[in-house]
């Protein structure tokens, strides 16, 4: 007997990825697809990649009642909009993995600073578990609400946490992070600056002076490693659909030990791969998989570059969400998730 | 107890796709990876997308003896080179799915015409089953050697066969087929004309006056539909990794009935999707899946355009190979194969 | 003393290309930039590629009076919207090159069939010169209004006209044309199906059962070659910014003579290049140039494939517009136009 | 009477760009095209974008004698190989713009450190003028040999020099530079890792721990601004043909003044555009032009991000080479060079 699942915000890129993963999952099955402007259409009309019986499912309006049998809800809605749906689902006794930013922060002040608005349900902040799976398995396993991490923070925190914990990173000045993301991270709304001809054959920085994910990185560097840090975070958008690469320009001490620290921290992890020292990953190596590939290059005893790659729609969104949901329902964490990239 | 599998030619794009699929397959497991120029390296050094324990497997030389426990061999080798490996594997009592062109033809003359060389093992022509799965399931199920169809012929024969069988296509003049392929179909050898900067932002036709796959299309239009046909086939290479779209410019009779003919032919098929009449597919809709999406637009009572899309590495190569292998070993045909695209 | 020029519809992709070409032209200078929704912004705010003093020009509303000194107007407006601006400009004594479809047809009936609406100024149909430059130089030179050809018709008519004139093409059945276009041809409006992630890594056909440009091809095959023809025209959209490739699947007689017919027709032409027989062009070879490259492959005595390539924004739009404008003002036709591609 | 020019290394991407620019230049004309492995072919056979009479020129072997009438030689050869050709050309009384790295350094030691080999003609180091045009016009004007700057250093030094001169950059710790380049910068040799399918839909860092251009940046930060600096430079390769974006993560003092410093430094410059404060450039905005677009975002009083964009083949190679050649022969610096991008 499979567990019935609802996906709210099913017609965006993250929603489509959730459909792909859940429909192939041995223990979950899709019972409800919520959409907004596209409600009442068939899934197959709006999502070109969807086949089989899912294509014939009718998209439900945002405020539709969730079927009773649904036990798990994935909310892939814009921040601000997600909170109300999360609240309603929890009230109805369902578990929730929220892929928006609404429950990633622990205080109302930081949420307001990052998102510029009041939060409708700050009373849930305490309960929400920030689901960077590798570092919070036990809490995820018994959570009712998991706040799925942002894509940039996932790519940055995974390499950073073990080094911060070991005290080898200099945190007296800002940690400089230069990230590059495929365009699917910008969502599926019809904006001129996301048109094919505007993105193709071009690269640009955006989100300055301070991207919202900078707060998330700082909050969870503290949360997981106990370190007050400041990040200088500059994201860029690239002409590719998927993939995210973060370049961490790091200073600290005893860089010769960093590779071992990372190796030990992630030994046996199914979805974190530390490349041989001096080898740096490409996003092609993880596209379509739930993996985070991490490479390190030493510049001196006190300077190193770390490069980490994830698929922004998988380990950066829908993949990590399934990884968390697996734990929430007692399944093996890797169930239904690919370790190999779809390459090329 | 899983079935042990060998992949010969593991380091090309088709080989990599076989690895991805087989490593996630519930009943097959990889026991041997054969390579040529890359032998003795680790799989993970040559294939960026490969994770887990497969990354640590050593690539074996082309002439290495296959392990005894291997029951099934996939040969993803260049035509001409595959035949000898196929022969050896069969002699050793293994079943073979050959992804090269070496056993797709029934007569030595046609092979010579298409490939310009003598064939080392024409004695196997008779036994080989041309594995266009939807049309040859029973024979595949008891085959020792399946010749996996070419990518272009798969995309063309699937829509064409039901219409040829129904006698509604005009075969007195050539059938005009204009195909567009992603670049992975051209293979992974270091050639100047396959460099990123030569392919990107460009499209070109190639393979004229007569591409090898034209013989294959004609042979199997006859084989499956009993029709002598001539095709005028013009392939093009596009700036994308995967995906193949064939545009069939067709003349015949009673075009109003064609949609129903296709619908009926493929009703219930897990991997062939006939789109609503007037709706045409895109390769984005099938990329990463084993599906063939087919759409039809009527121009007049006697003229129609049919567009079919496959992922050249899946339904056009590794996916159909697994589909056939599933049948050869008595598994459900869809095992380990995706129906949803990886989108976007 | 340079000739003052106005560009109406300056903020689309064709408008931007007109700016690029005219600002570098030795005899034209930009005096007025008209826009619609973007009026009152600076050109440089809306057009990232524009530098120098043009970036500081204010975009004028659609109904702004044209400065007196303007002698030449380029209208790069949507069909339907262009006609009124063309009329006003002619009334004010200016010459016009209209890049819309509004004056490409000679009868109101065909216009209505192709564009589904009444035309506000059919009285100008007779005066408008259809500016396929190589075939209509004398009339362009003394025209007040040039209707700049569509991109697809330009790519198709250039190779077709000499062969139709020579009577070697079979026109008893439809001429089959399979065209592939970069995405800039679809314009710059914010539509979901033009988003980067929807176009990238994908190809699709569109515009069936009958694209508007089919009427234009048939009208001018008749106009220039005196042949009643029917075309079966299937356009496709590709993941690249620029470039258009048309594949003509032709039947006729004496194909061995076709190369010479094309060679002779375009001997000495600065912007039409006939490739050696058997060599087929790529769009990379003409991107950024005003050239049309044409190649031919013979399949039999009665069957041949012709491939022609243009940059849809140059020979398919702004480039041919400048070529025509040069003639209208007595300049060498090649002035300000590139023969070499921007490659890669 | 035009000045006769030779291009050595004409069949790479930089060579092709030189051909495009010089053939459209009013005062230069191409008299000699040198190639290496492609010698004796026609230019049009090897370079798809080349049209007109240049396509019919025969490529000369590397060691061919330069015609007497040639006054100016562009060497677009690999480092190491260029020096001998430069020497020979100077001996024959010609002026040279060398686009290789061979004469960018002032001491043999630094050259050896960066390029790992002895230099055959260190005696020319002193005479060579490092041609970052905006900062060295007078010396270029009377130079016999100009060492054209590297692409990365051009994109980094243009924004950095005015700030270093003003003493507002903290040079006590390394300056962190994260650069992103289109693939044409990697050259045109047939390497597996430059294949379309390996680069497309992927991004990666390379060249660590220390890319050769780091030495060049440090040498000329000192040379032009008199500052000893250390750079931590991490280049990345992106899936696009052209374009280079450098992100400078800077610390210093009084960041509020930096915009004015840049504005004043480049006021009136034809090819350097300082964007309004807070606006960041994209490579689409400069692709196909000789411009460097620079934007600045302030993070705090002591921290700022500067983003600069060039076309690696223009301001990063062939464009700056023409800019320098214009000065060497007394022409207006902008002759034959575009300020507008080819967009999209």
């Amino acid at each position: 007997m499979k567990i019935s699942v609802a996906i709210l915000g099913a017609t965006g890129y993250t929603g489509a990825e959730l459909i792909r993963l859940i429909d192939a999952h041995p223990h979950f099955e899709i019972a409800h697809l919520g959409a907004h402007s596209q409600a009442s259409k068939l899934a197959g009309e709006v999502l070109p990649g969807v086949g089989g019986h899912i294509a014939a499912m009718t998209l439900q309006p945002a405020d539709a009642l969730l079927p009773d049998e649904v036990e798990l809800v994935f909310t892939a809605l814009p921040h601000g909009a997600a909170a109300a749906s999360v609240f309603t689902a929890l009230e109805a006794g369902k578990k929730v993995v929220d892929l928006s930013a609404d429950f990633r922060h622990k205080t109302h002040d930081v949420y307001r600073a990052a998102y510029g608005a009041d939060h409708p349900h700050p009373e849930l902040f305490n309960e929400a578990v920030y689901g960077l799976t590798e570092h919070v398995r036990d809490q995820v396993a018994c959570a009712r609400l998991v706040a799925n991490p942002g894509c940039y923070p996932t790519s940055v925190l995974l390499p950073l946490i073990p080094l911060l914990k070991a005290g080898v990173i200099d945190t007296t000045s800002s940690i400089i992070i230069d990230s590059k993301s495929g365009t699917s991270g910008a969502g599926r709304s019809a904006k001129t600056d996301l048109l094919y001809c505007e993105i193709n054959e071009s690269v640009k920085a955006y989100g300055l002076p301070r991207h919202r994910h900078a707060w998330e990185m700082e909050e969870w560097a503290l949360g997981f490693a106990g370190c007050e840090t400041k990040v200088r975070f500059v994201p860029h958008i690239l002409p590719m659909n998927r993939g995210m690469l973060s370049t961490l320009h790091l200073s600290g001490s005893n860089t010769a030990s960093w590779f071992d620290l990372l190796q030990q921290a992630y030994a046996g992890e199914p979805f974190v791969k530390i490349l041989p020292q001096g080898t740096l990953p490409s996003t092609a190596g993880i596209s379509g998989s739930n993996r985070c590939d991490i490479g390190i290059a030493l510049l001196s005893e006190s300077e190193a570059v770390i490069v980490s790659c994830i698929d922004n729609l998988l380990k950066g969104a829908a993949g990590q969400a399934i990884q968390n949901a697996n734990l929430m329902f007692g399944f093996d964490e890797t169930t239904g998730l690919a370790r190999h990239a779809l390459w090329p």
Side-chain angles (χ1 to χ4, degrees), chain A residues 179-194:
Chain A
S179 293
K180 296 91 181 163
S181 174
T183 301
S184 59
R188 205 190 180 191
S189 30
K191 295 179 184 163
T192 303
D193 61 358
L194 294 178

Side-chain angles (χ1 to χ4, degrees), chain A residues 234-252:
Chain A
V234 184
H236 301 74
I237 192 162
L238 303 198
M240 54 191 211
N241 283 354
R242 292 170 177 247
M244 173 168 287
L245 181 149
S246 289
T247 309
L248 286 67
H249 302 266
L250 298 169
S251 297

Side-chain angles (χ1 to χ4, degrees), chain A residues 27-343:
Chain A
H27 307 313
F28 294 137
E29 73 184 345
I30 297 171
H32 177 97
L33 296 174
H36 191 73
S37 53
Q38 310 280 7
S40 86
K41 292 188 185 165
L42 301 183
E45 291 176 74
V46 184
L47 296 168
V50 167
H53 72 285
I54 305 289
M57 285 182 71
T58 302
L59 299 167
Q60 304 300 319
D63 55 356
L65 212 65
L66 295 179
D68 275 355
E69 74 269 22
V70 164
E71 295 179 54
L72 171 61
V73 179
F74 292 94
T75 44
L77 298 164
H79 63 84
S85 296
V86 169
F87 179 82
T88 307
L90 291 174
E91 290 289 294
K94 290 125 177 33
K95 294 185 178 179
V96 179
V97 179
D98 177 29
L99 290 92
S100 86
D102 279 0
F103 296 99
R104 293 181 192 154
H105 293 288
K106 284 296 169 204
T107 70
H108 208 152
D109 282 355
V110 173
Y111 181 86
R112 276 195 204 100
Y115 292 91
D118 278 343
H119 193 288
H121 292 288
E123 73 277 10
L124 292 171
F125 283 0
N126 242 1
E127 179 178 1
V129 175
Y130 183 78
L132 188 70
T133 325
E134 285 72 13
H135 293 277
V136 69
R137 279 192 180 97
D138 294 349
Q139 288 178 65
V140 166
C142 51
R144 212 171 52 126
L145 167 57
V146 167
N148 214 56
C151 46
Y152 289 119
T154 296
S155 73
V156 169
L157 290 168
L158 283 174
L160 211 51
I161 289 170
L163 302 178
L164 286 172
K165 278 185 175 169
V168 294
I169 303 277
D170 174 12
T171 54
T172 59
S173 57
S174 299
I175 295 175
I176 293 179
I177 298 158
D178 189 299
S179 293
K180 296 91 181 163
S181 174
T183 301
S184 59
R188 205 190 180 191
S189 30
K191 295 179 184 163
T192 303
D193 61 358
L194 294 178
L195 291 178
Y196 180 81
C197 290
E198 315 273 324
I199 294 289
N200 188 39
E201 294 296 291
S202 188
V203 54
K204 63 177 174 189
Y206 72 102
L208 291 180
R210 188 160 168 88
H211 187 280
R212 287 153 171 169
H213 284 179
W215 278 275
E216 192 177 331
M217 294 174 197
E218 291 175 357
E219 175 152 359
W220 294 102
L222 180 62
F224 288 118
C227 290
E228 292 276 0
T229 61
K230 285 284 167 199
V231 300
R232 285 165 70 176
F233 168 56
V234 184
H236 301 74
I237 192 162
L238 303 198
M240 54 191 211
N241 283 354
R242 292 170 177 247
M244 173 168 287
L245 181 149
S246 289
T247 309
L248 286 67
H249 302 266
L250 298 169
S251 297
S253 57
N254 195 13
T255 55
S257 71
W258 295 12
F259 173 75
D260 284 344
L261 289 169
L262 289 169
Q263 276 275 41
Q264 287 156 17
Y266 294 111
E269 281 295 346
F271 295 124
V272 182
K273 179 175 166 185
I274 310 299
L275 303 189
Q277 186 157 320
T279 302
L280 297 179
S282 72
T283 62
I286 48 73
S287 198
S289 92
N290 195 48
R291 255 173 38 222
C292 177
D293 278 8
I294 298 172
I296 180 167
L298 307 189
L299 308 186
S300 71
E301 206 185 282
S302 62
E303 296 181 328
V305 172
I306 289 185
V307 174
S308 80
C309 289
I310 60 171
D311 184 326
N312 55 302
L313 293 179
L314 281 153
K315 187 63 178 167
Q320 189 155 243
I322 302 292
Q323 194 181 354
N324 285 323
N326 283 333
L327 290 173
M328 290 162 86
F329 284 85
F331 305 128
D332 182 289
E333 179 177 332
T334 64
T335 312
L337 291 172
R339 246 174 293 189
H340 301 302
L342 188 87
W343 177 86

